[in-house]
Amino acid sequence: MFFLLCVTCCRSTETPVSAPDESVEAVPTQKLDRFSTQHTEAGVLKWTLVGDTSTFHGSYIDVENPTVQIFEDGVVSMTLNSQKGKQFLNGTKKDSLHLTGNVVGVSKDGKLFTETLHWQNLAGRLYAPDEATVVRGDSTWIGTEMLANPTLETVKMKNNRFNLYPKDEKAHEHHKTPIEPE
């Protein structure tokens, strides 16, 4: 009787083992304070990423307070800051970056403000799915679904609202000699 009681009591205290819930994010395998990395292609520096802390999750890295510098022809074309960042390590998004929370970008051709920004590494462009603001001098351009090159020289947006001043746009034009008809 004592043996049966012991087996019954021991059984009732065991926790059943179940399959892991796949909706739960994978436990990080590595956490670092003061993180930095860079991406090169054929020996040419494309971007750098520096953050306060990072957490490695296998297919991506979460970064707190990231600063990203995007390079073109060996020169910084854009510097981006945000509250959170993610670097993708494999798949179709490999070497792409995702920034969220008060994203601010600064280039020689203007400033960018948004809440969510993607650096599409393969395409070499910035994408902001939600509202984004581009500022050049006193001119302000607000829209959604922004696509831009890293210097903000070329920008496309939908649902546009803007206050543009000719003096700000003329500063970015390249003057060419007109072609004479033959």
Side-chain angles (χ1 to χ4, degrees):
M1 183 72 145
F2 176 73
F3 178 73
L4 185 59
L5 182 59
C6 183
V7 170
T8 305
C9 289
C10 290
R11 261 193 186 175
S12 63
T13 61
E14 291 180 5
T15 305
V17 177
S18 60
D21 183 3
E22 292 181 18
S23 67
V24 175
E25 187 175 299
V27 176
T29 57
Q30 186 177 40
K31 187 168 185 167
L32 299 173
D33 290 332
R34 200 67 190 143
F35 171 78
S36 70
T37 188
Q38 61 185 21
H39 173 67
T40 60
E41 292 176 9
V44 177
L45 183 61
K46 294 296 186 177
W47 55 257
T48 62
L49 168 62
V50 177
D52 290 347
T53 62
S54 68
T55 309
F56 178 72
H57 292 275
S59 63
Y60 64 93
I61 298 171
D62 278 328
V63 181
E64 295 292 323
N65 300 313
T67 297
V68 175
Q69 289 186 315
I70 300 172
F71 291 81
E72 289 183 329
D73 301 322
V75 177
V76 176
S77 59
M78 161 104 22
T79 299
L80 298 160
N81 291 290
S82 68
Q83 293 172 340
K84 296 189 181 289
K86 186 178 284 192
Q87 176 191 358
F88 295 94
L89 302 174
N90 53 35
T92 58
K93 294 182 180 181
K94 185 175 194 282
D95 299 318
S96 292
L97 305 170
H98 176 86
L99 303 173
T100 57
N102 295 321
V103 181
V104 177
V106 179
S107 78
K108 67 179 179 68
D109 286 328
K111 293 181 180 177
L112 166 67
F113 303 92
T114 189
E115 282 299 311
T116 303
L117 184 72
H118 304 273
W119 166 247
Q120 299 172 334
N121 190 64
L122 192 57
R125 67 181 179 196
L126 301 164
Y127 173 65
D130 303 319
E131 187 172 275
T133 301
V134 174
V135 178
R136 288 186 183 158
D138 294 327
S139 297
T140 304
W141 181 10
I142 302 169
T144 60
E145 298 183 48
M146 182 204 75
L147 287 171
N149 69 338
T151 61
L152 297 178
E153 184 179 359
T154 305
V155 177
K156 294 180 184 179
M157 285 197 264
K158 295 182 178 179
N159 305 312
N160 297 288
R161 300 183 321 267
F162 43 85
N163 290 319
L164 300 178
Y165 301 96
K167 68 178 181 68
D168 296 327
E169 296 308 308
K170 294 235 185 261
H172 299 286
E173 288 181 3
H174 299 286
H175 298 285
K176 296 182 180 179
T177 307
I179 299 174
E180 297 293 325
E182 293 182 2

